[in-house]
Amino acid sequence: MALPGLGRALIAAGKLGQKAAEEIYRKAQTGRTSFIAELTGSGAVSPFDLAHTMSSAFGAPVLDLDALDVQRLPKDLLDAKICHAYRVVPLSRRGNRLAVATADPSDQEAAEKIKFATQLVVDWVIAEYDKISRMLESGVGRVDTSMQSLVGGDFEFDEASVAAATETADTAAQSEVEDAPVVKFLHKMLLDAFGMRASDLHFEPYEHNYRVRFRIDGELREIASPPVAIKDKLASRIKVISRLDISEKRVPQDGRMKLKIGPDRVIDFRVSTLPTLFGEKIVIRILDPSSAKLGIDALGYDAEEKARLMHAIGRPYGMILVTGPTGSGKTVSLYTCLNLLNKPGVNIATAEDPSEINLPGVNQVNVNEKAGLTFAAALKSFLRQDPDIIMVGEIRDLETADIAIKAAQTGHLVLSTLHTNDAPTTLTRMRNMGIAPFNIASSVILITAQRLARRLCNNCKQPVEIPRETLLQSGYEESDLDGSWKPYHPVGCNQCNNGYKGRVGIYQVMPISEAIQQIILADGSALDIDRQAKREGVRSLRQSGLQKVRQGITSLEEVLAVSNE
């Protein structure tokens, strides 16, 4: 019989016989309990003896949990479900290491689960099993318990009354709806997401569980695991306030909602529902209008890159393209430019699917494919509205591209986005769409490719020694390694997310020079354009990222992860 590591350690220490261990293990399997619970419950080994034996066997310190104040233990280091499942208590975090109390340091599954959930190295501290159990029941699980009390049980939630309250604003019905636990839970999640600087909330139903995740600094983190019974009621609530059809659960829907978080602060949310096997997954994106008013310096442009962009948006006509994958900050970049151009004497019109940031003074149009309002149709209408500046959310097809290029050639400044990997491949992508080389060369004046990298926390970042060969392989030149700077790496503290706090843009800003125009007219490849751009001093995304590493803004591993060269 294959005994668990705890049993083998006790046998080796002479605290338990082979037959007794096998009998306890058999009882644990039959009764569907853990080996350690059966072991201590049967009295074969006392919790005190077990703790000290494990301390000697694994070289870990012993801690008396009775000496600790439960209220002072950190509440957010480890999910309560993991604590209860593996009978562990998180004690403290230092850098990238997490001290966790356990009675069974041989439990590799628990160590891996904790490491995966926290992205921290686990340092075991031995404690008596009965004291761990008492502490879990009395204090550590309170966060999870409060969540259950908030959203569990019978929900007094009547969809008809919610709809009626929304339409007629009946005071009594509205009050009843606002008192519903599901409403409080949703409100708490939205406020928590905003407070944690999350960009998206994911509500995900599965067969036996339901989870809520936030995307913080580009990474998804599990925040809550409410009862699976909440899924339909929560989906209905979100649909009602987003003005979606609560009876339609078979097709995806898109909507918007608002949340007032202060006397003069309102945050917009974009809502997307998707039917899955076990219910509707809902993703809510936080749209903060203030992000467009941060200014171009806050986005992370270097002085040279900023000068090129400012020169381009100051031109009277032409096309400026911002490229990159979904979630790389293209919309914020475009709206930052529009905010700089937004003056009383300028007529600006935008077509988006949908408009994410509300900018007063700009005429914003939401594309509606079903109603026939496509990007191309909106652009045609814009040209009859005496525009100075046009922003197209995305160039998806030849018709849209053709109209946008003609607008750029006839005295309008056009801003738009494309999904390409870098600036040079954008031009060949347009060529592959069917646009004539002459039209590309005569209209496009600048292309910016961008990515978002996590910004190192200024409170805890520390210098790190990286081998010279590694730096050279990453893209640095010999002349860069002059000893005048040191790379930093993430550590982690109570003010950040695993050593990172916020994000910064990495940019490749490529003006279309006469030499590049000649390559386009000759139907040259992206490699030809790339070589010419480098000769003109245009940095690649990797080189731009490496510059941020030199400045101590981000880490080398983060730049290598977001750039490809």
Side-chain angles (χ1 to χ4, degrees), residues 120-137:
L120 300 173
V121 178
V122 177
D123 288 332
W124 287 132
V125 175
I126 310 299
E128 292 154 65
Y129 183 77
D130 57 343
K131 292 181 180 179
I132 289 178
S133 297
R134 283 200 301 272
M135 183 168 279
L136 286 170
E137 298 307 324

Side-chain angles (χ1 to χ4, degrees), residues 161-162 165-166 169-179 237:
S161 69
V162 174
T166 307
D170 179 79
T171 306
Q174 186 71 34
S175 175
E176 182 181 341
V177 169
E178 293 301 328
D179 287 341
R237 174 63 190 174

Side-chain angles (χ1 to χ4, degrees), residues 69-81 83 89-93 98 135-136 138-144 146 221 223:
D69 182 0
V70 176
Q71 299 305 321
R72 290 183 175 274
L73 287 176
K75 295 287 192 297
D76 55 351
L77 287 181
L78 194 57
D79 187 77
K81 286 176 67 178
C83 294
V89 176
L91 300 173
S92 65
R93 173 181 173 176
L98 179 65
M135 183 168 279
L136 286 170
S138 64
V140 176
R142 254 180 215 164
V143 174
D144 193 57
S146 64
R221 290 173 56 190
I223 300 298

Side-chain angles (χ1 to χ4, degrees), residues 110-341:
E112 289 299 321
K113 186 76 173 179
I114 296 169
K115 184 179 179 182
F116 179 80
T118 62
Q119 298 297 302
L120 300 173
V121 178
V122 177
D123 288 332
W124 287 132
V125 175
I126 310 299
E128 292 154 65
Y129 183 77
D130 57 343
K131 292 181 180 179
I132 289 178
S133 297
R134 283 200 301 272
M135 183 168 279
L136 286 170
E137 298 307 324
S138 64
V140 176
R142 254 180 215 164
V143 174
D144 193 57
T145 306
S146 64
M147 181 73 72
Q148 296 285 336
S149 65
L150 182 65
V151 298
D154 295 323
F155 296 101
E156 296 299 326
F157 189 91
D158 184 342
E159 291 175 359
S161 69
V162 174
T166 307
E167 292 298 323
T168 64
D170 179 79
T171 306
Q174 186 71 34
S175 175
E176 182 181 341
V177 169
E178 293 301 328
D179 287 341
V182 70
V183 178
K184 294 178 183 176
F185 173 67
L186 175 61
H187 191 258
K188 181 182 185 302
M189 288 294 100
L190 294 175
L191 287 178
D192 285 354
F194 183 77
M196 295 169 74
R197 307 184 315 278
S199 60
D200 301 87
L201 298 83
H202 292 240
F203 297 88
E204 301 169 315
Y206 298 99
E207 187 173 11
H208 300 299
N209 66 302
Y210 189 78
R211 71 177 177 182
V212 181
R213 295 192 292 174
F214 293 173
R215 188 176 291 280
I216 302 170
D217 294 339
E219 288 193 336
L220 279 171
R221 290 173 56 190
E222 187 168 339
I223 300 298
S225 298
V228 73
I230 195 177
K231 62 181 182 181
D232 293 330
K233 298 173 178 65
L234 184 59
S236 295
R237 174 63 190 174
I238 293 172
K239 284 180 177 181
V240 164
I241 57 179
S242 305
R243 300 184 182 275
L244 300 178
D245 184 357
I246 62 173
S247 64
E248 181 56 79
K249 301 178 181 179
R250 299 164 298 173
V251 296
Q253 297 187 67
D254 293 301
R256 294 176 79 106
M257 62 185 184
K258 293 177 182 287
L259 178 67
K260 191 171 184 179
I261 61 169
D264 56 354
R265 188 78 184 273
V266 177
I267 301 298
D268 283 333
F269 298 89
R270 190 179 75 193
V271 180
S272 173
T273 71
L274 180 70
T276 64
L277 286 177
F278 303 105
E280 288 179 284
K281 173 179 176 176
I282 299 174
V283 176
I284 301 177
R285 170 157 288 188
I286 300 175
L287 309 174
D288 188 359
S290 62
S291 61
K293 300 176 183 177
L294 292 173
I296 200 162
D297 293 320
L299 299 182
Y301 284 94
D302 286 344
E304 193 176 356
E305 295 167 345
K306 177 186 172 183
R308 289 172 182 162
L309 181 61
M310 295 300 290
H311 179 261
I313 66 174
R315 299 268 291 270
Y317 60 88
M319 180 181 283
I320 297 171
L321 294 171
V322 179
T323 74
T326 302
S328 59
K330 299 188 298 294
T331 301
V332 171
S333 293
L334 284 174
Y335 268 94
T336 301
C337 293
L338 288 179
N339 196 46
L340 293 171
L341 297 166

Side-chain angles (χ1 to χ4, degrees), residues 451-507:
R451 300 289 188 277
L452 286 178
R454 289 181 295 172
R455 191 189 290 266
L456 283 167
C457 172
N458 288 323
N459 185 57
C460 65
K461 68 179 183 181
Q462 290 184 0
V464 62
E465 291 294 335
I466 298 178
R468 190 181 187 86
E469 294 75 18
T470 303
L471 293 172
L472 291 171
Q473 288 172 4
S474 300
Y476 284 108
E477 301 289 339
E478 283 283 357
S479 57
D480 296 326
L481 310 181
D482 54 7
S484 62
W485 61 278
K486 271 194 172 184
Y488 287 82
H489 75 131
V491 176
C493 64
N494 57 5
Q495 297 181 22
C496 65
N497 178 28
N498 295 334
Y500 295 98
K501 187 176 183 180
R503 290 192 286 179
V504 65
I506 294 175
Y507 303 94

